Amino acid sequence: MEHEAVHGLEALAPIVATPAAWLRWVPLLPLLGAMWNAALGKRLQARLGKRAVHVVAVGVMTAAFAVAVVAFSTMLGLEPEARFLEDSVWTAAVADPLRIDLGFALDPLGMAMVLVVTGIGTLIHVFSIGYMHEEPAYWRYFAYLNLFAAAMLTLVMADNLALIFFGWEGVGLASYLLIGFWWRDRDKAAAGMKAFVVNRIGDFGFLAGLLILFWLLAGAWGTGTAPGSAGPTLNWRELRDQIALPGTGVAEHLQAVRLLGLPALGLVGMLLFVGAMGKSAQLPLHVWLPDAMAGPTPVSALIHAATMVTAGVYLVARLDFVYALSPTAMGWVALVGGLTACFAATIGFVQTDIKKVLAYSTVSQLGFMFVGVGVGAFWAGAYHLVTHAFFKAALFLGSGSVIMACHHEQDMRRMGGLGKVMPVTRWTYLVATWAIAGFPVASGFYSKDEILWKAFTARHLELMGVPVPWLGPAIWAACLVAATGTSFYMFRSYYMTFTGSYRGAVGGHGEHDAHGSGHGSAEDHGHGHQGPRESPLSMTAVLVALAAGAVLASFLGLPAVWTGHEPALERWLAPSLTAGHSVPFTEFPHALEIAFQGLGVLAATVGWLGARALYAEGRSHAPEALKARFAGAWSFVNQAWRVDALYDRVVVRPSVALARGLSRFDGVVIDGAVNAAGAIGRFLGRLDAAIDAHVVDGLVDGVATVTRRAGGQLRRLQTGRIQTYLYGALGGALLVVLLDFLVP
């Protein structure tokens, strides 16, 4: 495997960049929008109304999308091997031999990500106009939304790993601000903090992997194995070219070095994957994403469906040349992805909050993406990223439309029958459900099927340096179960929400009321005390566009077994994901591949029919009977397998106890020692003052007093009278004579 990977990489020609100095405007425009609304938005909203806020926020996103389209058209005009646009903003040599430049670059993979972020991001900005129009802090919401888009675009457009990490951290900050947007609500503020802390754990792995990778590269150049090259760098394009450079032995050096008993390159891949696990909510760092539903629903669509959570998948795909050299790292990525996909799917069975269903669905679908990139089908993982962006954004925004219509009620048990009054929301939600379930025509079928097939045919995966040929088929089986579960819980959410009769109250409360922003009757977004009705055009038009994208994206990945040639997206991504060509897969007849596609459709059908039998048209007796019969299992799964409780017991409580203990130690011992030192100092100061006042000053004052009194007595002799002086002289003479007479 390693030899084949090296050989495949060596065949790669260095990328020739096309200068494009205008690329910087893609991330810069939303950044300027964020700065504008953060500085002036509140005053403009008060004077000119909310239109002054969203015109700027939506305008900069639309402009960024327009620049991205220009970049896409420019790239289309280039030969496939020359599709690389570069905008070098600033060059700096930080410290020899480390070079970190500030620049932006786009290849076909980055171009796909930018179109997703700017295109779907713009639609979500438009949807937010209607959804958030009664929010008092409207200006702050759009400032945060623009900031997130700027950070995400920096991440996917950065031409080096250091700048990618900068964007990575910016995305974490912006997500913290958006998840905890209604910070006056303690639970929502805690959800934002939880996301921030869990992501910091992953970020530590990212940074450690980055540093070890540079150390390995510096070692390669230090031994002279890479003559004629510019030296070690964190520029991902140069890294790829250096590893592929024939005759240098760089790839061999990276594979030969061991660290902590493991191949160092495999350790780098696993540490970088830890960062991806945090950002993309994989086991066991998935716990932040369901709680992140505390943010506004459009935020859930933008961050937790289309962009932020896919950053980890993008990172692994971007560093495909690193993972292709380490079957161990690939094995762990695929294994964690498969376990996460199956684990999260089971939790979706019992959730009643519509946003929580979609949250665990996101975790599961991210697991599918990591299976794709983990087994070496990098383009398939990227394809599922694109299709997921469309159908999951449609689902989240569709749930937002439902929540708003139900006066911000999120419990599906208090919904039902909405298909009659919300036809656009219903049909777009159904199309997106069809896509995520994996039925043909919709794009989710093609991306998920490709991942499943590649997992089944993978025989090159290793764990801790030991080949595990059965790991791929085992992951395929787990993913097939997860696909069945996905179809079940998504159609369950559809039937509970849109079929049967309406079970909710005319008025209600939900995410807006809970944060206490004081909307009053405006919470109903113009509904007053009426029953549910369809959302405004600014929202439904976005839903239609996303549902259409969920279907049309299927043309990007029509399988070769159907068309006789590679899928369009695979051809487009080929110049970016060259390392994938060196990853071997077992060849099987096309008939078997078609049969496995049939198994995928069968799994989706089983899930759909199960949900229909239990939940269609308001049926609830069978689910309640099953819940009562398996109460223990239901409670266990409903509590997300009690992973949060385990974290609370193993991590949170000991950490809090340790913090309190250290606080007491600080208060009693450290502060006690400091206070004792202060008391001793004060005592010595007072003693010194007393000695100075009573001893030193007393002696000085005594000498002065004696001198003054002696002078006073002697002054009496100086009377100024001649008679007195004569008497004194006479007395003295008599004393001298007397002494002379008396002393022999």
Side-chain angles (χ1 to χ4, degrees):
M1 160 63 188
E2 294 181 357
H3 175 74
E4 292 177 355
V6 173
H7 178 74
L9 288 170
E10 286 180 352
L12 176 66
I15 299 174
V16 178
T18 300
W22 37 268
L23 279 183
R24 67 191 70 179
W25 287 103
V26 178
L28 185 59
L29 283 166
L31 178 61
L32 292 175
M35 295 170 62
W36 175 271
N37 276 325
L40 304 174
K42 187 174 183 179
R43 280 178 285 179
L44 291 174
Q45 179 177 321
R47 294 180 181 180
L48 304 176
K50 293 178 178 177
R51 182 184 297 272
V53 173
H54 68 242
V55 163
V56 173
V58 177
V60 294
M61 284 300 299
T62 304
F65 177 66
V67 178
V69 171
V70 171
F72 178 63
S73 62
T74 302
M75 193 174 288
L76 278 177
L78 301 173
E79 293 296 323
E81 64 276 4
R83 287 173 177 165
F84 189 86
L85 306 178
E86 185 177 46
D87 181 4
S88 181
V89 180
W90 181 56
T91 302
V94 178
D96 187 34
L98 178 61
R99 295 183 298 110
I100 299 179
D101 303 331
L102 176 61
F104 300 102
L106 280 182
D107 65 346
L109 175 63
M111 189 74 256
M113 289 293 297
V114 167
L115 289 174
V116 167
V117 175
T118 56
I120 295 182
T122 300
L123 292 175
I124 293 173
H125 275 68
V126 173
F127 185 92
S128 297
I129 296 173
Y131 192 84
M132 299 293 290
H133 81 276
E134 292 297 335
E135 171 59 48
Y138 195 73
W139 61 275
R140 182 162 57 89
Y141 170 80
F142 276 104
Y144 291 168
L145 214 59
N146 277 169
L147 178 63
F148 173 84
M152 188 68 196
L153 288 167
T154 299
L155 190 160
V156 300
M157 294 181 64
D159 71 347
N160 64 82
L161 295 175
L163 190 56
I164 286 178
F165 185 73
F166 183 81
W168 190 275
E169 293 297 294
V171 165
L173 171 63
S175 66
Y176 164 74
L177 296 172
L178 285 166
I179 294 167
F181 178 74
W182 292 312
W183 54 272
R184 296 183 187 276
D185 185 312
R186 183 179 180 86
D187 291 339
K188 290 175 169 51
M193 187 178 299
K194 184 177 183 179
F196 191 81
V197 171
V198 174
N199 273 274
R200 296 292 72 73
I201 297 172
D203 294 350
F204 175 79
F206 186 119
L207 187 59
L210 201 62
L211 295 175
I212 295 175
L213 176 61
F214 182 77
W215 172 74
L216 288 172
L217 291 167
W221 266 256
T223 57
T225 57
S229 180
T233 175
L234 293 180
N235 183 292
W236 56 263
R237 173 173 57 91
E238 293 179 4
L239 280 178
R240 198 202 73 169
D241 290 346
Q242 289 171 357
I243 290 175
L245 197 62
T248 62
V250 175
E252 289 80 358
H253 172 81
L254 295 179
Q255 291 173 307
V257 176
R258 300 185 69 84
L259 194 63
L260 301 177
L262 297 172
L265 195 62
L267 184 61
V268 167
M270 287 188 282
L271 286 172
L272 292 174
F273 179 55
V274 170
M277 288 166 60
K279 199 69 72 185
S280 296
Q282 297 295 284
L283 278 172
L285 300 180
H286 69 286
V287 292
W288 67 270
L289 193 141
D291 289 354
M293 297 301 106
T297 299
V299 170
S300 302
L302 179 64
I303 295 181
H304 310 123
T307 53
M308 172 184 163
V309 292
T310 61
V313 181
Y314 168 77
L315 178 68
V316 175
R318 170 57 67 210
L319 297 178
D320 64 327
F321 54 89
V322 172
Y323 286 92
L325 296 176
S326 177
T328 293
M330 293 179 67
W332 280 110
V333 172
L335 177 61
V336 171
L339 291 175
T340 303
C342 200
F343 163 81
T346 62
I347 302 174
F349 293 166
V350 298
Q351 296 299 309
T352 56
D353 184 320
I354 189 170
K355 289 178 67 176
K356 285 292 183 70
V357 173
L358 299 179
Y360 284 107
S361 168
T362 297
V363 175
S364 182
Q365 296 306 305
L366 288 167
F368 278 97
M369 296 179 208
F370 277 112
V371 168
V373 295
V375 300
F378 297 103
W379 90 267
Y383 181 35
H384 199 56
L385 185 156
V386 173
T387 61
H388 179 266
F390 281 106
F391 58 67
K392 187 52 68 66
L395 289 168
F396 264 115
L397 295 184
S399 73
S401 177
V402 167
I403 291 168
M404 194 177 81
C406 295
H407 311 284
H408 301 283
E409 176 61 67
Q410 296 181 201
D411 193 331
M412 295 185 297
R413 292 171 297 184
R414 298 188 180 94
M415 297 177 184
L418 298 180
K420 302 171 185 176
V421 294
M422 305 181 70
V424 177
T425 301
R426 172 192 185 173
W427 287 109
T428 54
Y429 194 95
L430 180 59
V431 168
T433 299
W434 186 269
I436 194 175
F439 284 104
V441 180
S443 57
F445 165 77
Y446 303 99
S447 57
K448 192 178 295 186
D449 173 76
E450 185 68 17
I451 290 172
L452 289 172
W453 177 247
K454 290 299 185 183
F456 180 78
T457 58
R459 297 293 188 275
H460 56 277
L461 302 179
E462 298 179 2
L463 293 177
M464 309 305 292
V466 179
V468 186
W470 51 263
L471 183 59
I475 292 173
W476 168 82
C479 287
L480 190 66
V481 173
T484 307
T486 299
S487 180
F488 175 81
Y489 65 68
M490 286 309 307
F491 276 103
R492 170 179 176 266
S493 72
Y494 168 77
Y495 287 125
M496 290 182 70
T497 303
F498 294 102
T499 66
S501 57
Y502 183 58
R503 300 178 294 273
V506 174
H509 62 84
E511 61 179 22
H512 284 258
D513 291 320
H515 70 83
S517 58
H519 292 177
S521 62
E523 283 301 321
D524 295 333
H525 285 231
H527 292 180
H529 292 285
Q530 302 173 11
R533 64 181 183 183
E534 187 61 273
S535 297
L537 180 62
S538 63
M539 298 170 64
T540 55
V542 172
L543 295 178
V544 171
L546 291 171
V551 174
L552 295 176
S554 61
F555 292 102
L556 298 175
L558 295 176
V561 70
W562 290 13
T563 63
H565 55 76
E566 291 181 337
L569 187 63
E570 183 177 8
R571 295 196 304 272
W572 170 257
L573 294 176
S576 300
L577 305 176
T578 51
H581 301 321
S582 62
V583 178
F585 292 94
T586 304
E587 294 292 335
F588 288 102
H590 290 330
L592 183 62
E593 183 177 354
I594 294 174
F596 269 70
Q597 291 176 356
L599 283 177
V601 175
L602 177 62
T605 303
V606 169
W608 165 48
L609 293 178
R612 187 175 185 274
L614 293 174
Y615 295 98
E617 301 303 328
R619 299 189 185 99
S620 61
H621 300 295
E624 290 301 320
L626 290 172
K627 175 182 173 181
R629 184 174 181 180
F630 302 101
W634 184 92
S635 176
F636 181 74
V637 176
N638 188 51
Q639 296 177 54
W641 292 43
R642 296 178 185 164
V643 174
D644 275 295
L646 179 64
Y647 271 127
D648 184 65
R649 179 175 297 179
V650 176
V651 179
V652 177
R653 291 182 186 177
S655 297
V656 171
L658 178 62
R660 289 173 177 169
L662 292 175
S663 178
R664 293 193 189 99
F665 180 81
D666 178 69
V668 175
V669 180
I670 305 299
D671 288 351
V674 173
N675 293 336
I680 294 171
R682 288 194 301 272
F683 171 75
L684 293 176
R686 290 169 182 168
L687 179 63
D688 181 70
I691 294 173
D692 181 69
H694 298 291
V695 179
V696 179
D697 288 352
L699 290 173
V700 173
D701 293 344
V703 172
T705 300
V706 171
T707 302
R708 186 174 63 253
R709 290 177 179 176
Q713 295 298 324
L714 292 174
R715 188 176 62 183
R716 295 178 180 179
L717 300 177
Q718 301 295 324
T719 64
R721 297 169 64 183
I722 296 177
Q723 296 90 332
T724 302
Y725 297 153
L726 289 175
Y727 290 146
L730 180 59
L734 290 174
L735 180 61
V736 171
V737 171
L738 181 61
L739 291 173
D740 183 64
F741 177 75
L742 293 175
V743 178

